[in-house]
Amino acid sequence: MMHARSISWRAVLAIAACVATCEGAAIGSVSPPSEDALESYLESRDLSNLLAAQLRGRLATATGDARNEIAERLGRVYVRQMSAAKTPEERRVIEDAARELIESMPESSVFELRIDFAKTSYLRAEDLIERFRVRIVGEAQLQEADRLLRLITPQFQEIATRVGHRIELLERKEAGARQDDLEETKAQLADARRVRSLAQYYAGWCGYYGAMLSSNKGAAMRAMQDFGWLLNSGGGKVPEIDRVPGALLKYEHVARAAVGVAMCASLRDNDVEALRWLDLVESTDGISPALRAELLSRRMVVLGGAKRWSDLELLLKRRAADRKKDPALLTPSEARLLAVLALDA
């Protein structure tokens, strides 16, 4: 059965190769295309299944750096396919293929690829949960989000831990490195720290949403510790507002980590601390318009969760005063959120 499928793929690829070489030229007057030309053609036509099959075929015989490069290209194809998947079943098939690819690669080249795969699932879970929060989707979609979080949260945590071990090794290497090797070691160390920050960032947000779904205050605390790696907490401790340099918050992922801490504090019934974190982000010059636009709904969630209805009313009155010339006090999503918070009270 597998052999028949393999022959089928080869036949289709052969046809694609023929088309790629014959477009714009007379049949018989062209030479066979290179592997790169064929892959460029498949990619330009958005033939991702054929492109993945082509890359898997090359990966089976490649060695060394060429193998890693092909694996990274195949990984990017899988990331796009996961983003475009229409059903949970389709997503699971791609997840299995991605997992097989990861297991075939050396550890040193796989961390960022694993983050990319898990990030795709995280973004899907986040979207489903936020849509459920305003009751646009139902329980079935929420269960799918929960499944995704249970799958990827330990992945982000494991990546962060293993890259942390690599950072320790590189720091020791840096301390004893000769001048000739120092720059390369520093570059490797900077890259490893960047990858760990990414893993901790997504582990934090996965932890927040997982804690939200399970009403688990301990999980919210763990998520705050994950965010702490980005907020100058000194190694995975719960971050403190006074320890966060204002300049750091100009970086999008750091500012969003601070928002994550606020939401975790809210889950832990510490609405005062949550609002302080949101105040910190809102008072920072240079944060993106997209993030600034989210802060109202985050405040609404905090105040609604704490049943501080008079403060929520005051917040909306201030919003109205700030938007005198805008007929829409709230966006449709914010209005739905307000209705849900009131009905769930």
Side-chain angles (χ1 to χ4, degrees), residues 59-206:
L59 189 66
T61 58
T63 58
D65 291 341
R67 176 180 172 79
N68 288 340
E69 182 180 345
I70 294 168
E72 289 174 4
R73 292 185 64 185
L74 179 56
R76 289 194 292 270
V77 173
Y78 286 151
V79 168
R80 291 197 299 271
Q81 288 182 324
M82 289 171 69
S83 298
K86 302 297 184 185
T87 65
E89 292 73 20
E90 185 180 353
R91 177 179 292 276
R92 289 190 186 103
V93 170
I94 302 167
E95 287 172 356
D96 289 342
R99 194 174 299 112
E100 182 178 340
L101 172 64
I102 286 172
E103 290 172 355
S104 72
M105 294 175 65
E107 182 177 272
S108 59
S109 62
V110 83
F111 290 126
E112 196 157 4
L113 184 57
R114 288 184 64 189
I115 289 175
D116 284 342
F117 287 145
K119 174 185 171 183
T120 303
S121 295
Y122 163 75
L123 292 174
R124 173 64 175 163
E126 177 192 46
D127 179 65
L128 289 173
I129 293 170
E130 290 297 343
R131 286 162 66 85
F132 179 81
R133 199 198 290 270
V134 294
R135 303 301 188 266
I136 293 177
V137 300
E139 290 288 342
Q141 289 84 357
L142 192 64
Q143 290 175 8
E144 170 63 7
D146 185 55
R147 181 193 75 84
L148 290 172
L149 289 177
R150 291 177 185 275
L151 175 69
I152 61 177
T153 301
Q155 293 179 21
F156 285 125
Q157 292 169 344
E158 181 199 4
I159 293 168
T161 299
R162 294 173 74 171
V163 176
H165 294 327
R166 175 168 168 77
I167 288 171
E168 291 173 1
L169 292 174
L170 288 170
E171 286 174 341
R172 289 197 291 270
K173 182 179 178 181
E174 181 187 35
R178 297 177 303 177
Q179 191 63 37
D180 293 346
D181 301 328
L182 189 58
E183 288 304 315
E184 181 180 353
T185 302
K186 284 184 175 180
Q188 291 175 349
L189 188 54
D191 188 62
R193 286 170 174 160
R194 179 185 61 81
V195 172
R196 181 175 63 182
S197 291
L198 278 174
Q200 299 286 180
Y201 173 83
Y202 287 110
W205 276 108
C206 285

